[in-house]
Amino acid sequence: MTATESLEHETMVTLRELRVNGNTNDSSEPTHKIEPTTPPPSLDEVEAIIGYEFKNKRLLEEAFTDASLGESFSNERLEYVGDSVLNLLFTKQQYFEYPDLAPGVLTRLRAANVDSDKLARVAVKHDLHRYLRHKKPLLEEQIRQFSEEIRRYPLHSNGLVEVPKTLADLVESIIGAVFIDSDSSMDIVWKVFKDLLEPIIRLETLKIHPVTQLYEMCQKRNLKVQLVDLWKEKTTFDVLVDDQFIGRGSCRDKKEIALNRAARNALDNIWKLFHEKDL
């Protein structure tokens, strides 16, 4: 056998070994199985949950199709419609329920009932998220965390928890779908969703945002408030009142939530400072 033939022979042997090894699972290497995704349950169940039967089933399907799925349609347009309809419904309802209430307070009251925190609760309470078609791998864990955190805030968190906006968008999409399907009937939409949106936040249960509450409380006592932004370095905010450290809040993903938590923590601790000032 010549040197060239010997080299070719060794090369062929090596290639055969590589092919064999490539087709054989090495017990030392972890294997990753692709778990089959469970399809969402039938949308017929949604009609039973909300108490409304769609004439155009395509609207129902569209409302539960997230853009992440990559279909030729998604619920984004219905979300746009539902957002406007919901705002108008609460504007009308509160205008007549509170004939003497100033526009500024009415705006706060409406916002508390239509924001992401409030609407995401509706989706969780009625298990509407189970029917959403999407390709968001982190969504289920986000929903689980949200469901746990809102137990501390039964009505509204006032910006203290991270909200999966996808849930709020879903509820707005369903509202938009019912509005279009009912020939743009505001009365039918309100009849369908009034109970689903309970508990509705009313004037007696409306809370002040923690940052606003902190400033108002300190202003009455002529105290200086400083919000120290450390979010980029430590994902935290510190609160100083009259140059004294009084609270801290953190959130890795959202700066605004870190600020709100810092203000809430300061409010919980500030009574000690007030007591010292009054002595």
Side-chain angles (χ1 to χ4, degrees):
M1 181 182 292
T2 64
T4 301
E5 291 173 337
S6 176
L7 180 60
E8 289 178 350
H9 176 72
E10 292 178 3
T11 302
M12 293 300 295
V13 171
T14 302
L15 287 173
R16 280 197 297 270
E17 290 176 350
L18 285 172
R19 281 197 292 269
V20 170
N21 290 336
N23 292 328
T24 305
N25 283 334
D26 185 346
S27 60
S28 64
E29 292 292 329
T31 58
H32 300 281
K33 296 182 180 179
I34 300 176
E35 296 294 338
T37 56
T38 304
S42 170
L43 291 176
D44 293 341
E45 298 176 16
V46 172
E47 294 180 308
I49 291 172
I50 68 175
Y52 179 85
E53 185 174 349
F54 280 83
K55 294 175 289 186
N56 183 355
K57 304 295 184 181
R58 173 76 174 184
L59 287 169
L60 179 60
E61 181 184 3
E62 185 176 329
F64 281 85
T65 302
D66 190 81
S68 65
L69 201 63
E71 298 282 357
S72 59
F73 61 93
S74 75
N75 60 11
E76 290 179 335
R77 284 168 54 83
L78 288 176
E79 174 200 337
Y80 162 77
V81 174
D83 175 64
S84 299
V85 170
L86 187 61
N87 273 273
L88 184 54
L89 283 171
F90 270 102
T91 298
K92 175 184 176 182
Q93 186 263 337
Q94 290 169 353
Y95 177 83
F96 290 106
E97 185 174 352
Y98 303 104
D100 300 320
L101 206 58
V105 183
L106 285 170
T107 299
R108 284 181 49 220
L109 194 56
R110 179 183 63 194
N113 280 290
V114 302
D115 68 6
S116 294
D117 186 305
K118 190 68 175 68
L119 296 183
R121 293 165 183 264
V122 174
V124 170
K125 178 180 179 181
H126 299 285
D127 287 331
L128 295 171
H129 59 282
R130 294 178 54 243
Y131 304 88
L132 179 66
R133 300 166 65 229
H134 67 90
K135 285 186 178 178
K136 293 183 173 180
L138 301 179
L139 183 59
E140 296 305 319
E141 176 61 20
Q142 292 170 350
I143 293 173
R144 187 193 65 78
Q145 291 180 2
F146 175 72
S147 301
E148 289 182 0
E149 289 181 357
I150 61 176
R151 293 176 184 174
R152 293 180 291 164
Y153 312 100
L155 196 58
H156 200 288
S157 78
N158 282 292
L160 297 176
V161 304
E162 293 187 59
V163 180
K165 188 176 179 297
T166 300
L167 296 184
D169 295 343
L170 173 61
V171 173
E172 289 177 337
S173 301
I174 303 169
I175 292 172
V178 172
F179 177 73
I180 299 297
D181 192 69
S182 64
D183 298 322
S184 306
S185 172
M186 300 290 287
D187 290 338
I188 289 178
V189 175
W190 185 244
K191 181 180 179 181
V192 170
F193 285 94
K194 182 180 179 181
D195 291 338
L196 293 172
L197 293 168
E198 290 287 354
I200 291 174
I201 298 173
R202 291 182 163 78
L203 185 60
E204 58 271 19
T205 55
L206 180 64
K207 303 294 184 182
I208 302 176
H209 192 278
V211 176
T212 302
Q213 187 179 0
L214 178 65
Y215 272 108
E216 288 181 352
M217 189 175 292
C218 291
Q219 190 175 31
K220 290 178 181 178
R221 292 173 173 260
N222 295 315
L223 299 174
K224 181 180 68 173
V225 178
Q226 292 176 268
L227 301 174
V228 184
D229 185 352
L230 302 172
W231 193 75
K232 285 186 178 180
E233 300 84 4
K234 301 179 180 179
T235 69
T236 64
F237 270 85
D238 284 355
V239 179
L240 306 180
V241 175
D242 273 7
D243 298 320
Q244 180 176 335
F245 174 80
I246 203 72
R248 174 173 293 153
S250 65
C251 180
R252 182 184 63 185
D253 298 320
K254 293 188 178 180
K255 182 176 181 179
E256 183 182 0
I257 293 178
L259 173 61
N260 296 336
R261 288 175 177 174
R264 181 70 264 168
N265 184 238
L267 287 167
D268 292 339
N269 298 330
I270 204 167
W271 300 110
K272 179 181 178 182
L273 178 62
F274 286 171
H275 178 69
E276 292 173 355
K277 292 283 184 181
D278 292 339
L279 292 178

